Amino acid sequence: MTTQRKHLDNQLKDILFSEFEIESNDFILDVFRELLKGQAVTKDKYHKIVNLPKEKADAILNKLGETDNQGNIVAFSGLSVIPTKHKFILNGKLLYTWCVVDAILFAEWLDVEANVHSNDPIDCSPIELQINGSQLLWTKPYPLFISWIESVDTCNIRDSFCDHVSFFASEKTAQQWINNNPGGKILTLEDFFTSDNIGLKCC
């Protein structure tokens, strides 16, 4: 099953990068590859990777990144070397993502095989899945459900969007989430891999 990468790519680009007037966001993958080494990325290294005027590069970092006390980048556009609720494991190396959809997209964007570990936010049930590039290989349990919201505050992406996008181990717990979040929606994991009815908009 193939994710709607281009569909979401275009929406993400419109939401996150239109204000910066840049032609390509391909540098995100280059920053990811540095983070995949398992350590923070220095500001100097980041500026070389992004290859944009420093003021613009720093504005993008302020919107999409997290830094440590020394100013080194510990997370960028959803991929993190410091713990979050969602583990992203590649070749035995442990990283993290801000939300579960990040893990699905990043496996495809980086063309890697990844194991994802998370927990149902309602009953804490363990959840695991394996993705190889654009292919979903298996999930435990099955089926899985995903919470989704369409409005994103670009000044606070993590709080407004990422923290609300989770896996659910059962339809029952997913329904509990939607009861408390009537503005959201619930997708099956298959919906996410196959549907083009997944949207994002700036609120």
Side-chain angles (χ1 to χ4, degrees):
M1 292 180 288
T2 303
T3 65
Q4 299 299 316
R5 172 185 171 177
K6 290 183 179 179
H7 180 64
L8 286 175
D9 268 355
N10 290 334
Q11 293 180 78
L12 287 167
K13 186 174 182 179
D14 287 344
I15 289 171
L16 301 178
F17 294 101
S18 57
E19 68 184 271
F20 297 115
E21 298 180 348
I22 59 176
E23 295 182 359
S24 172
N25 59 359
D26 290 346
F27 61 81
I28 291 180
L29 293 184
D30 294 326
V31 177
F32 281 0
R33 292 184 182 102
E34 287 298 313
L35 289 171
L36 289 176
K37 297 176 182 178
Q39 57 190 15
V41 179
T42 66
K43 277 280 191 70
D44 286 344
K45 184 69 174 179
Y46 167 77
H47 287 136
K48 290 177 182 177
I49 292 171
V50 174
N51 194 29
L52 291 170
K54 186 176 184 297
E55 182 177 336
K56 186 172 289 190
D58 286 344
I60 292 171
L61 179 60
N62 287 338
K63 181 181 286 287
L64 296 182
E66 291 184 354
T67 57
D68 61 18
N69 292 334
Q70 290 73 45
N72 298 314
I73 299 155
V74 294
F76 189 77
S77 193
L79 185 66
S80 177
V81 297
I82 58 176
T84 72
K85 297 177 182 178
H86 317 294
K87 296 178 180 179
F88 187 65
I89 304 168
L90 299 88
N91 298 321
K93 184 171 291 185
L94 176 60
L95 289 100
Y96 304 87
T97 64
W98 287 348
C99 75
V100 296
V101 169
D102 288 336
I104 295 171
L105 290 176
F106 297 168
E108 181 175 354
W109 292 354
L110 292 162
D111 193 24
V112 295
E113 184 169 293
N115 280 75
V116 181
H117 294 254
S118 189
N119 293 91
D120 187 310
I122 301 297
D123 66 6
C124 297
S125 298
I127 292 169
E128 184 178 353
L129 59 150
Q130 188 173 54
I131 307 168
N132 187 359
S134 64
Q135 302 299 309
L136 175 64
L137 301 182
W138 52 262
T139 77
K140 294 179 182 177
Y142 179 85
L144 288 182
F145 301 87
I146 299 178
S147 55
W148 188 259
I149 57 171
E150 294 187 337
S151 294
V152 180
D153 179 355
T154 60
C155 293
N156 195 346
I157 296 167
R158 190 168 181 182
D159 286 345
S160 69
F161 177 74
C162 297
D163 288 351
H164 303 281
V165 180
S166 302
F167 285 132
F168 294 84
S170 70
E171 191 169 4
K172 178 181 178 180
T173 56
Q175 186 60 49
Q176 288 180 252
W177 181 87
I178 204 70
N179 289 343
N180 294 322
N181 297 272
K185 63 172 66 174
I186 293 294
L187 309 170
T188 66
L189 190 56
E190 285 78 5
D191 286 337
F192 187 82
F193 271 76
T194 59
S195 174
D196 59 3
N197 189 30
I198 299 172
L200 288 170
K201 61 184 179 182
C202 181
C203 60

